[in-house]
Amino acid sequence: MFHRFALALGALIAVPSVAAAPASVGGRWKTDDGKAIVAMAPCGAKMCGRVERLLIRQPAGGQLDERNPDKAKRGRAVTGLQIYWDLVPTDDGWRGQGYSPEDGRYYKAHLRVAGNKLTMKGCVAVFCKTVTWTRIT
């Protein structure tokens, strides 16, 4: 009796668990504040996100990354700027790195897709902020 139980238990342990892959973050997303369109696409084996277009009025010459903590980067344009990188799928979404040109902060990013909504949680140390973007076609 014990041998059958041990055999059955061993068979259950040997079967790898099959977890569903998270929904893709790929595509174009409108930010929660309506200020930008961000395009998420593969970059190598991972996913990245770039500011595709700003939907706000910009100064002559375009909006610059003025709040970047690296003074050498403050003259670069926000349009085209990579703001997500190293995004990899996890059991509960996508994890990677992010940057906010609005406040010049780099953060750990956790993204989840549900239907046409992309919820992002960004954390700097113990302080986190969550926003939800909408997929556009």
Side-chain angles (χ1 to χ4, degrees):
M1 176 75 168
F2 177 75
H3 292 299
R4 280 191 230 188
F5 176 74
L7 185 61
L9 182 61
L12 287 174
I13 293 171
V15 174
S17 64
V18 178
S24 175
V25 294
R28 297 171 64 231
W29 301 89
K30 186 175 186 180
T31 59
D32 63 319
D33 58 10
K35 293 181 179 180
I37 304 287
V38 175
M40 305 290 276
C43 54
K46 299 177 182 179
M47 294 291 286
C48 295
R50 290 190 182 278
V51 177
E52 179 179 278
R53 186 173 83 179
L54 291 177
L55 304 173
I56 58 171
R57 186 179 184 108
Q58 299 180 55
Q63 185 66 45
L64 301 179
D65 189 16
E66 301 167 331
R67 293 192 171 107
N68 196 298
D70 182 346
K71 291 180 182 180
K73 294 180 179 178
R74 292 181 182 169
R76 65 185 181 172
V78 171
T79 301
L81 186 65
Q82 183 172 317
I83 60 171
Y84 286 102
W85 59 95
D86 291 340
L87 294 172
V88 294
T90 64
D91 290 340
D92 61 346
W94 295 79
R95 292 192 188 269
Q97 300 298 312
Y99 171 70
S100 171
E102 277 196 312
D103 60 17
R105 292 181 194 245
Y106 290 87
Y107 55 89
K108 293 179 183 179
H110 182 209
L111 293 73
R112 292 184 193 166
V113 175
N116 70 339
K117 299 293 183 185
L118 173 61
T119 301
M120 291 169 289
K121 180 179 181 181
C123 298
V124 177
V126 296
F127 302 101
C128 298
K129 179 179 179 179
T130 301
V131 297
T132 301
W133 293 357
T134 304
R135 186 184 299 273
I136 60 173
T137 54

